Coordinates of all heavy atoms in Angstrom, one line a residue:
M1 N -4.6 -7.6 -11.9 CA -5.7 -8.2 -11.2 C -5.5 -7.9 -9.7 O -4.4 -7.7 -9.2 CB -5.6 -9.7 -11.4 CG -6.7 -10.4 -10.7 SD -6.8 -12.2 -11.0 CE -5.6 -12.8 -9.8
F2 N -6.7 -7.7 -9.1 CA -6.6 -7.5 -7.6 C -7.9 -8.1 -7.0 O -8.8 -8.4 -7.6 CB -6.6 -6.0 -7.3 CG -7.7 -5.2 -7.8 CD1 -8.8 -5.0 -6.9 CD2 -7.7 -4.6 -9.0 CE1 -9.9 -4.2 -7.4 CE2 -8.8 -3.9 -9.5 CZ -9.9 -3.7 -8.6
S3 N -7.7 -8.3 -5.7 CA -8.9 -8.9 -4.9 C -9.1 -7.9 -3.7 O -8.2 -7.3 -3.2 CB -8.6 -10.3 -4.4 OG -7.6 -10.3 -3.5
I4 N -10.4 -7.9 -3.3 CA -10.8 -7.2 -2.1 C -11.5 -8.1 -1.1 O -12.4 -8.8 -1.5 CB -11.7 -6.0 -2.5 CG1 -11.0 -5.1 -3.5 CG2 -12.1 -5.2 -1.2 CD1 -11.9 -4.0 -4.0
E5 N -11.1 -8.1 0.1 CA -11.7 -8.9 1.2 C -12.0 -8.0 2.4 O -11.2 -7.2 2.7 CB -10.8 -10.0 1.6 CG -10.4 -11.0 0.5 CD -9.4 -12.0 1.0 OE1 -9.6 -12.6 2.0 OE2 -8.3 -12.1 0.3
H6 N -13.2 -8.2 2.9 CA -13.5 -7.4 4.1 C -13.4 -8.4 5.3 O -14.2 -9.3 5.4 CB -14.9 -6.8 4.0 CG -15.0 -5.8 2.9 ND1 -14.4 -4.6 3.0 CD2 -15.6 -5.9 1.7 CE1 -14.6 -3.9 1.8 NE2 -15.4 -4.7 1.1
D7 N -12.5 -8.1 6.2 CA -12.3 -8.9 7.4 C -13.0 -8.2 8.6 O -13.6 -7.1 8.4 CB -10.8 -9.1 7.8 CG -10.1 -10.0 6.8 OD1 -10.8 -10.8 6.1 OD2 -8.9 -10.0 6.8
F8 N -13.0 -8.8 9.7 CA -13.7 -8.2 10.9 C -13.2 -6.8 11.2 O -14.0 -5.9 11.4 CB -13.5 -9.1 12.1 CG -13.9 -8.5 13.4 CD1 -15.3 -8.3 13.7 CD2 -13.0 -8.0 14.3 CE1 -15.7 -7.8 14.8 CE2 -13.5 -7.4 15.5 CZ -14.8 -7.3 15.8
D9 N -11.9 -6.6 11.2 CA -11.3 -5.3 11.6 C -10.5 -4.6 10.5 O -9.9 -3.5 10.7 CB -10.4 -5.4 12.8 CG -9.2 -6.3 12.5 OD1 -9.2 -7.0 11.5 OD2 -8.2 -6.3 13.3
A10 N -10.6 -5.1 9.3 CA -9.8 -4.5 8.2 C -10.3 -4.8 6.8 O -11.0 -5.8 6.7 CB -8.3 -4.9 8.3
T11 N -9.9 -4.0 5.8 CA -10.2 -4.4 4.4 C -8.8 -4.7 3.8 O -7.8 -4.0 4.0 CB -10.8 -3.2 3.7 OG1 -12.1 -2.9 4.3 CG2 -10.9 -3.5 2.2
V12 N -8.7 -5.9 3.1 CA -7.5 -6.4 2.6 C -7.6 -6.4 1.1 O -8.5 -7.0 0.5 CB -7.2 -7.8 3.1 CG1 -5.9 -8.3 2.5 CG2 -7.1 -7.8 4.6
I13 N -6.6 -5.7 0.4 CA -6.6 -5.6 -1.0 C -5.2 -6.3 -1.4 O -4.2 -5.9 -0.9 CB -6.6 -4.1 -1.5 CG1 -7.9 -3.5 -1.1 CG2 -6.4 -4.1 -3.0 CD1 -7.9 -2.0 -1.3
T14 N -5.3 -7.2 -2.4 CA -4.1 -7.9 -2.9 C -4.0 -7.5 -4.4 O -4.9 -7.7 -5.1 CB -4.2 -9.4 -2.7 OG1 -4.4 -9.7 -1.3 CG2 -3.0 -10.1 -3.2
L15 N -2.8 -7.0 -4.7 CA -2.5 -6.6 -6.1 C -1.6 -7.7 -6.7 O -0.6 -8.0 -6.1 CB -1.8 -5.3 -6.2 CG -2.5 -4.1 -5.5 CD1 -1.6 -2.9 -5.5 CD2 -3.8 -3.8 -6.1
V16 N -2.0 -8.3 -7.8 CA -1.3 -9.4 -8.5 C -0.7 -8.8 -9.7 O -1.4 -8.3 -10.6 CB -2.2 -10.6 -8.8 CG1 -1.4 -11.7 -9.5 CG2 -2.9 -11.1 -7.5
D17 N 0.6 -8.9 -9.9 CA 1.3 -8.4 -11.1 C 1.2 -9.5 -12.2 O 1.6 -10.6 -12.1 CB 2.8 -8.2 -10.7 CG 3.5 -7.4 -11.8 OD1 2.9 -6.8 -12.6 OD2 4.8 -7.3 -11.7
E18 N 0.5 -9.1 -13.3 CA 0.3 -10.0 -14.4 C 0.9 -9.5 -15.6 O 1.1 -8.3 -15.8 CB -1.2 -10.1 -14.7 CG -2.0 -10.8 -13.6 CD -3.5 -10.9 -14.0 OE1 -4.1 -9.9 -14.2 OE2 -3.9 -12.0 -14.1
G19 N 1.2 -10.3 -16.5 CA 1.7 -9.9 -17.8 C 3.0 -10.6 -18.3 O 3.6 -11.4 -17.5
P20 N 3.4 -10.4 -19.5 CA 4.6 -11.1 -20.0 C 5.9 -10.6 -19.5 O 6.9 -11.3 -19.6 CB 4.5 -10.8 -21.5 CG 3.7 -9.5 -21.6 CD 2.8 -9.5 -20.5
E21 N 5.9 -9.4 -18.9 CA 7.2 -8.8 -18.4 C 7.6 -9.5 -17.1 O 6.8 -10.3 -16.6 CB 7.0 -7.3 -18.1 CG 6.6 -6.5 -19.3 CD 7.6 -6.5 -20.4 OE1 8.8 -6.4 -20.1 OE2 7.3 -6.6 -21.6
H22 N 8.8 -9.2 -16.6 CA 9.2 -9.8 -15.3 C 8.2 -9.4 -14.3 O 8.0 -8.2 -14.0 CB 10.6 -9.2 -15.0 CG 11.1 -9.6 -13.7 ND1 11.4 -10.9 -13.4 CD2 11.4 -8.9 -12.5 CE1 11.8 -11.0 -12.1 NE2 11.8 -9.8 -11.6
L23 N 7.7 -10.3 -13.6 CA 6.6 -10.1 -12.6 C 7.2 -9.9 -11.2 O 8.2 -10.5 -10.8 CB 5.7 -11.3 -12.6 CG 5.0 -11.6 -13.9 CD1 4.1 -12.8 -13.7 CD2 4.2 -10.4 -14.4
R24 N 6.5 -9.0 -10.5 CA 6.9 -8.7 -9.1 C 6.0 -9.5 -8.2 O 4.9 -10.0 -8.6 CB 6.7 -7.2 -8.7 CG 7.5 -6.3 -9.6 CD 9.0 -6.4 -9.3 NE 9.7 -5.5 -10.2 CZ 11.0 -5.6 -10.4 NH1 11.7 -6.5 -9.8 NH2 11.6 -4.7 -11.1
E25 N 6.4 -9.7 -6.9 CA 5.6 -10.4 -5.9 C 4.3 -9.6 -5.7 O 4.2 -8.4 -5.8 CB 6.4 -10.5 -4.6 CG 7.6 -11.4 -4.7 CD 7.4 -12.8 -5.0 OE1 6.3 -13.4 -4.6 OE2 8.2 -13.4 -5.7
D26 N 3.3 -10.4 -5.2 CA 2.0 -9.7 -4.9 C 2.2 -8.7 -3.8 O 3.1 -8.8 -3.0 CB 1.0 -10.8 -4.3 CG 0.6 -11.8 -5.4 OD1 1.0 -11.7 -6.5 OD2 -0.1 -12.7 -5.0
V27 N 1.4 -7.6 -3.8 CA 1.4 -6.6 -2.8 C 0.1 -6.7 -2.1 O -1.0 -6.8 -2.7 CB 1.5 -5.2 -3.5 CG1 1.4 -4.1 -2.4 CG2 2.8 -5.0 -4.2
T28 N 0.2 -6.7 -0.7 CA -1.0 -6.8 0.1 C -1.2 -5.5 0.9 O -0.2 -5.1 1.6 CB -1.0 -8.0 1.1 OG1 -0.8 -9.2 0.3 CG2 -2.2 -8.1 1.9
I29 N -2.3 -4.8 0.7 CA -2.6 -3.6 1.4 C -3.7 -3.9 2.4 O -4.8 -4.3 2.0 CB -3.0 -2.5 0.4 CG1 -1.9 -2.3 -0.6 CG2 -3.3 -1.2 1.1 CD1 -2.4 -1.6 -1.9
T30 N -3.5 -3.6 3.7 CA -4.5 -3.8 4.7 C -4.9 -2.5 5.3 O -4.0 -1.8 5.9 CB -4.0 -4.8 5.8 OG1 -3.5 -6.0 5.1 CG2 -5.1 -5.2 6.7
A31 N -6.1 -2.1 5.2 CA -6.6 -0.9 5.8 C -7.3 -1.1 7.1 O -8.4 -1.8 7.1 CB -7.6 -0.2 4.8
F32 N -6.8 -0.6 8.2 CA -7.4 -0.7 9.5 C -8.1 0.7 9.8 O -8.0 1.6 9.0 CB -6.3 -0.9 10.5 CG -5.6 -2.3 10.4 CD1 -4.4 -2.4 9.7 CD2 -6.2 -3.4 10.9 CE1 -3.8 -3.6 9.5 CE2 -5.6 -4.7 10.7 CZ -4.4 -4.7 10.0
E33 N -8.6 0.8 11.0 CA -9.3 2.0 11.4 C -8.4 3.2 11.5 O -8.7 4.3 11.2 CB -10.0 1.8 12.7 CG -10.8 3.0 13.2 CD -11.5 2.7 14.5 OE1 -12.0 1.5 14.7 OE2 -11.6 3.6 15.3
D34 N -7.1 2.9 11.9 CA -6.2 4.0 12.2 C -4.9 4.0 11.4 O -4.1 4.9 11.5 CB -5.8 4.0 13.7 CG -5.1 2.7 14.1 OD1 -5.2 1.7 13.3 OD2 -4.5 2.7 15.2
C35 N -4.7 3.0 10.5 CA -3.5 3.0 9.7 C -3.7 2.1 8.5 O -4.7 1.3 8.4 CB -2.3 2.5 10.5 SG -2.4 0.8 11.0
V36 N -2.7 2.1 7.6 CA -2.7 1.2 6.4 C -1.4 0.5 6.3 O -0.3 1.2 6.5 CB -3.0 2.0 5.1 CG1 -2.9 1.1 3.9 CG2 -4.4 2.5 5.2
T37 N -1.3 -0.8 6.1 CA 0.0 -1.5 6.0 C 0.1 -1.9 4.5 O -0.9 -2.3 3.9 CB 0.1 -2.7 6.9 OG1 -0.9 -3.6 6.6 CG2 0.0 -2.2 8.4
V38 N 1.3 -1.9 4.0 CA 1.6 -2.4 2.7 C 2.7 -3.5 2.9 O 3.8 -3.2 3.5 CB 2.2 -1.3 1.8 CG1 2.5 -1.8 0.4 CG2 1.1 -0.1 1.7
E39 N 2.5 -4.7 2.3 CA 3.4 -5.8 2.5 C 3.7 -6.4 1.2 O 2.9 -6.5 0.3 CB 2.8 -6.9 3.4 CG 2.5 -6.4 4.8 CD 1.8 -7.5 5.6 OE1 0.7 -7.8 5.3 OE2 2.5 -8.0 6.5
Q40 N 5.0 -6.9 1.0 CA 5.4 -7.6 -0.2 C 6.6 -8.5 0.2 O 7.5 -8.1 0.9 CB 5.9 -6.6 -1.3 CG 6.2 -7.2 -2.6 CD 6.5 -6.2 -3.7 OE1 7.2 -5.3 -3.4 NE2 6.0 -6.5 -4.9
L41 N 6.6 -9.7 -0.3 CA 7.6 -10.6 -0.1 C 8.9 -10.2 -0.9 O 8.8 -9.8 -2.1 CB 7.2 -12.0 -0.6 CG 8.3 -13.1 -0.5 CD1 8.6 -13.4 0.9 CD2 7.9 -14.3 -1.3
D42 N 10.0 -10.1 -0.2 CA 11.3 -9.8 -0.8 C 11.9 -11.2 -1.2 O 12.4 -11.9 -0.3 CB 12.2 -9.0 0.1 CG 13.5 -8.7 -0.5 OD1 13.9 -9.2 -1.6 OD2 14.2 -7.8 0.1
P43 N 12.0 -11.5 -2.5 CA 12.5 -12.8 -2.9 C 14.0 -13.0 -2.6 O 14.4 -14.1 -2.5 CB 12.2 -12.9 -4.4 CG 12.0 -11.5 -4.8 CD 11.5 -10.8 -3.6
R44 N 14.7 -11.9 -2.4 CA 16.1 -12.0 -2.1 C 16.4 -12.5 -0.7 O 17.3 -13.3 -0.5 CB 16.8 -10.7 -2.3 CG 16.8 -10.2 -3.8 CD 17.3 -8.8 -3.9 NE 16.3 -7.9 -3.1 CZ 16.5 -6.7 -2.7 NH1 17.7 -6.2 -2.9 NH2 15.6 -6.1 -2.0
T45 N 15.5 -12.1 0.2 CA 15.7 -12.5 1.6 C 14.6 -13.5 2.1 O 14.7 -14.0 3.2 CB 15.6 -11.3 2.5 OG1 14.3 -10.7 2.4 CG2 16.7 -10.3 2.2
D46 N 13.6 -13.7 1.2 CA 12.5 -14.6 1.6 C 11.8 -14.1 2.8 O 11.3 -14.9 3.6 CB 12.9 -16.1 1.7 CG 11.8 -17.0 1.5 OD1 10.9 -16.7 0.7 OD2 11.8 -18.1 2.2
R47 N 11.7 -12.8 3.0 CA 11.0 -12.2 4.1 C 10.0 -11.2 3.6 O 10.3 -10.5 2.6 CB 12.0 -11.5 5.1 CG 13.0 -12.5 5.7 CD 13.9 -11.8 6.6 NE 13.2 -11.4 7.8 CZ 13.7 -10.7 8.8 NH1 15.0 -10.4 8.8 NH2 12.9 -10.4 9.9
V48 N 8.9 -11.0 4.3 CA 7.9 -10.0 3.9 C 8.4 -8.7 4.5 O 8.7 -8.5 5.7 CB 6.5 -10.4 4.5 CG1 5.5 -9.3 4.3 CG2 6.1 -11.7 3.9
Q49 N 8.4 -7.7 3.6 CA 8.7 -6.3 4.0 C 7.4 -5.6 4.2 O 6.5 -5.7 3.4 CB 9.5 -5.6 2.9 CG 10.8 -6.3 2.5 CD 11.8 -6.3 3.7 OE1 11.9 -5.3 4.4 NE2 12.4 -7.4 3.9
K50 N 7.3 -4.8 5.3 CA 6.1 -4.2 5.7 C 6.3 -2.8 6.0 O 7.3 -2.4 6.7 CB 5.5 -4.9 6.9 CG 4.2 -4.4 7.4 CD 3.7 -5.2 8.6 CE 2.5 -4.7 9.2 NZ 2.0 -5.6 10.3
I51 N 5.5 -1.9 5.5 CA 5.5 -0.5 5.9 C 4.1 -0.1 6.5 O 3.1 -0.7 6.0 CB 5.9 0.5 4.8 CG1 4.9 0.5 3.7 CG2 7.3 0.2 4.3 CD1 5.1 1.6 2.7
T52 N 4.0 0.8 7.4 CA 2.8 1.2 8.0 C 2.6 2.7 7.7 O 3.6 3.5 8.0 CB 2.7 0.9 9.5 OG1 2.9 -0.5 9.7 CG2 1.4 1.4 10.1
L53 N 1.5 3.1 7.2 CA 1.2 4.5 6.9 C 0.1 5.0 7.8 O -0.9 4.3 8.0 CB 0.8 4.8 5.5 CG 1.7 4.3 4.4 CD1 1.1 4.4 3.0 CD2 3.0 5.2 4.4
S54 N 0.2 6.2 8.4 CA -0.9 6.7 9.2 C -2.0 7.2 8.1 O -1.7 7.3 6.9 CB -0.5 7.9 10.0 OG -0.1 9.0 9.1
L55 N -3.2 7.5 8.6 CA -4.2 7.9 7.6 C -3.8 9.3 7.0 O -4.1 9.5 5.9 CB -5.6 8.0 8.3 CG -6.1 6.6 8.8 CD1 -7.5 6.8 9.4 CD2 -6.1 5.6 7.7
A56 N -3.1 10.1 7.8 CA -2.7 11.4 7.3 C -1.6 11.2 6.1 O -1.7 11.8 5.1 CB -2.1 12.3 8.4
Q57 N -0.7 10.2 6.3 CA 0.3 9.9 5.3 C -0.4 9.4 4.1 O 0.0 9.7 2.9 CB 1.3 8.9 5.8 CG 2.3 9.5 6.8 CD 3.1 8.4 7.4 OE1 2.7 7.4 7.8 NE2 4.4 8.7 7.5
L58 N -1.4 8.5 4.2 CA -2.1 8.0 3.1 C -2.9 9.1 2.3 O -2.9 9.1 1.1 CB -3.1 6.9 3.6 CG -3.8 6.1 2.5 CD1 -2.8 5.3 1.7 CD2 -4.9 5.2 3.1
H59 N -3.5 10.0 3.1 CA -4.2 11.1 2.4 C -3.2 12.0 1.6 O -3.4 12.4 0.5 CB -4.8 12.0 3.5 CG -5.6 13.2 3.0 ND1 -6.7 13.1 2.3 CD2 -5.3 14.5 3.0 CE1 -7.1 14.3 1.9 NE2 -6.3 15.1 2.4
E60 N -2.0 12.2 2.2 CA -1.0 13.0 1.5 C -0.4 12.3 0.3 O -0.2 12.9 -0.8 CB 0.2 13.3 2.4 CG -0.2 14.4 3.5 CD 0.9 14.7 4.4 OE1 1.9 13.9 4.5 OE2 0.7 15.7 5.2
L61 N -0.3 10.9 0.4 CA 0.1 10.1 -0.8 C -0.9 10.3 -1.9 O -0.5 10.5 -3.1 CB 0.3 8.7 -0.4 CG 0.6 7.7 -1.5 CD1 1.9 8.1 -2.2 CD2 0.6 6.3 -1.0
G62 N -2.1 10.2 -1.6 CA -3.2 10.3 -2.6 C -3.1 11.7 -3.3 O -3.3 11.8 -4.5
A63 N -2.9 12.7 -2.5 CA -2.8 14.1 -3.0 C -1.6 14.2 -3.9 O -1.6 14.9 -4.9 CB -2.8 15.1 -1.9
A64 N -0.5 13.6 -3.5 CA 0.8 13.8 -4.2 C 0.7 13.2 -5.6 O 1.4 13.7 -6.5 CB 1.9 13.1 -3.4
L65 N -0.1 12.2 -5.8 CA -0.2 11.6 -7.1 C -0.8 12.5 -8.2 O -0.6 12.3 -9.3 CB -1.1 10.3 -7.0 CG -0.5 9.2 -6.2 CD1 -1.5 8.1 -6.1 CD2 0.8 8.7 -6.7
D66 N -1.4 13.6 -7.7 CA -2.1 14.6 -8.6 C -1.4 15.9 -8.7 O -1.9 16.9 -9.2 CB -3.5 14.8 -8.3 CG -4.4 13.5 -8.5 OD1 -4.0 12.8 -9.5 OD2 -5.3 13.3 -7.7
L67 N -0.2 16.1 -8.0 CA 0.5 17.4 -7.9 C 1.8 17.3 -8.7 O 2.4 16.3 -8.8 CB 0.7 17.7 -6.5 CG -0.5 18.0 -5.6 CD1 -0.1 18.1 -4.2 CD2 -1.2 19.3 -6.1
P68 N 2.2 18.5 -9.2 CA 3.5 18.6 -9.8 C 4.6 18.5 -8.8 O 4.4 18.6 -7.5 CB 3.5 19.9 -10.5 CG 2.5 20.8 -9.7 CD 1.5 19.8 -9.2
E69 N 5.9 18.4 -9.2 CA 7.0 18.3 -8.3 C 7.1 19.5 -7.4 O 6.7 20.6 -7.8 CB 8.3 18.3 -9.2 CG 9.6 18.1 -8.5 CD 10.8 18.0 -9.4 OE1 10.6 17.6 -10.6 OE2 11.9 18.3 -8.9
G70 N 7.4 19.3 -6.1 CA 7.5 20.4 -5.2 C 7.3 19.9 -3.8 O 7.3 18.6 -3.5
V71 N 7.3 20.8 -2.8 CA 7.1 20.4 -1.4 C 5.8 21.0 -1.0 O 5.5 22.2 -1.2 CB 8.2 21.0 -0.5 CG1 8.0 20.7 1.0 CG2 9.6 20.4 -1.0
Y72 N 4.9 20.2 -0.3 CA 3.6 20.7 0.1 C 3.3 20.3 1.5 O 3.8 19.4 2.1 CB 2.5 20.0 -0.9 CG 2.7 20.2 -2.3 CD1 3.6 19.4 -3.1 CD2 2.1 21.3 -2.9 CE1 3.7 19.7 -4.4 CE2 2.3 21.6 -4.3 CZ 3.1 20.8 -5.0 OH 3.3 21.0 -6.4
R73 N 2.3 21.1 2.1 CA 1.7 20.7 3.3 C 0.2 20.8 3.2 O -0.3 21.8 2.7 CB 2.2 21.7 4.4 CG 1.5 21.4 5.8 CD 2.0 22.3 6.9 NE 3.4 21.8 7.3 CZ 4.4 22.6 7.4 NH1 4.3 23.9 7.2 NH2 5.6 22.0 7.7
I74 N -0.5 19.8 3.6 CA -2.0 19.8 3.5 C -2.5 20.1 4.8 O -2.2 19.5 5.9 CB -2.4 18.4 3.0 CG1 -1.9 18.1 1.6 CG2 -4.0 18.3 3.1 CD1 -2.2 16.7 1.1
A75 N -3.5 21.1 4.9 CA -4.1 21.5 6.1 C -5.3 20.5 6.3 O -6.1 20.3 5.4 CB -4.6 22.9 6.0
F76 N -5.4 19.9 7.5 CA -6.5 19.0 7.8 C -7.5 19.8 8.7 O -7.1 20.5 9.6 CB -5.9 17.8 8.6 CG -5.1 16.9 7.8 CD1 -3.7 17.0 7.9 CD2 -5.6 16.0 7.0 CE1 -2.9 16.2 7.2 CE2 -4.8 15.1 6.2 CZ -3.4 15.2 6.3
D77 N -8.7 19.6 8.3 CA -9.8 20.3 9.0 C -10.3 19.5 10.2 O -10.3 18.4 10.2 CB -10.9 20.7 8.1 CG -10.5 21.7 7.0 OD1 -9.6 22.5 7.3 OD2 -11.0 21.6 5.9

């Protein structure tokens, strides 16, 4: 399950892990004009872990999901 919310300066997507298996904490993805953040609570430390991706990194991540193993460079126009 997931939710999408449009805030003033960002779009926020929350992914909820559902099912009978061991569940993970929710993941919150926030898309800003110039970057995307991914946050998840670490239950071991009770702290939210956050990473920030540039739009170029996000574009490369999307491309990597459809490519075989290897090293690539994407040319931006």
Side-chain angles (χ1 to χ4, degrees):
M1 178 175 84
F2 62 92
S3 68
I4 302 171
E5 300 172 51
H6 298 290
D7 291 342
F8 172 72
D9 64 342
T11 297
V12 179
I13 300 168
T14 302
L15 307 175
V16 178
D17 196 11
E18 293 184 297
E21 302 296 320
H22 176 66
L23 301 179
R24 303 288 181 197
E25 298 292 331
D26 294 355
V27 174
T28 302
I29 304 160
T30 307
F32 296 97
E33 183 178 325
D34 60 343
C35 68
V36 173
T37 62
V38 180
E39 298 176 291
Q40 185 177 40
L41 176 68
D42 182 345
R44 295 170 296 161
T45 62
D46 202 31
R47 297 181 70 180
V48 173
Q49 301 297 318
K50 178 179 182 178
I51 63 167
T52 301
L53 302 169
S54 69
L55 296 182
Q57 289 173 313
L58 187 63
H59 180 71
E60 289 177 346
L61 174 61
L65 295 174
D66 294 325
L67 293 170
E69 185 175 337
V71 177
Y72 301 89
R73 176 175 287 132
I74 296 175
F76 293 99
D77 297 328

